Amino acid sequence: MPTPEKILIIEDDAHVRELLALQLEAAGFECHQAGAAQSGIDAAVKLSPDAVLMDIQLPDSSGFQVCSTLRKRSKKMVLIMMTARFLMPEEKTQGFELGADEYVTKPFDMAELTARIRQLLSRRQGT
């Protein structure tokens, strides 16, 4: 049996974070969680996840900063930004320039999110 892909969820809302982890684990992923930017970066360094789902608004920093830090460490890691608000085009552009692979707006459809993660991971493995 292949090793499940590791996903790190960086989200300050514990309810959202745990719900995401439950749903993604049910879809066959191995999930890890962090509630703030710095603990998320530390976890990413320790775990080397295949993908990171990160909220843009975190209590100790921004998802943009986390994205930039993680992209400098790994070109292969899939980085997905999550937001609960409408983003201006320049904010999205900033995220992509910092290395984000995808954006999702809360609330999102779990089946769609799972499919996006699988698609991004399969592209990375093809490189």
Side-chain angles (χ1 to χ4, degrees):
M1 193 165 125
T3 308
E5 285 140 330
K6 281 188 275 190
I7 296 182
L8 173 61
I9 302 162
I10 307 172
E11 164 64 64
D12 59 317
D13 183 324
H15 179 72
V16 170
R17 190 173 66 238
E18 288 167 19
L19 194 61
L20 268 170
L22 279 172
Q23 296 281 333
L24 291 169
E25 283 169 356
F29 295 104
E30 175 188 321
C31 290
H32 300 270
Q33 302 178 36
Q38 190 56 56
S39 59
I41 291 167
D42 293 344
V45 168
K46 183 177 157 199
L47 298 165
S48 293
D50 299 293
V52 179
L53 276 170
M54 71 199 85
D55 193 13
I56 287 177
Q57 294 189 286
L58 294 163
D60 57 338
S61 187
S62 75
F64 293 115
Q65 185 60 49
V66 175
C67 180
S68 174
T69 300
L70 295 181
R71 181 54 71 217
K72 286 174 189 162
R73 292 191 58 82
S74 168
K75 298 288 181 235
K76 285 188 71 167
M77 194 181 296
V78 171
L79 302 176
I80 301 172
M81 311 284 282
M82 299 184 293
T83 182
R85 64 182 178 81
F86 176 79
L87 289 178
M88 300 302 292
E90 49 276 9
E91 289 177 296
K92 277 192 174 182
T93 301
Q94 177 188 10
F96 286 127
E97 286 173 350
L98 291 172
D101 293 296
E102 184 66 89
Y103 273 94
V104 291
T105 304
K106 301 176 204 170
F108 37 76
D109 178 75
M110 277 309 298
E112 180 185 337
L113 177 62
T114 303
R116 283 183 186 201
I117 292 169
R118 288 194 199 290
Q119 180 188 38
L120 288 163
L121 287 170
S122 70
R123 279 192 200 151
R124 289 293 160 115
Q125 290 164 354
T127 58

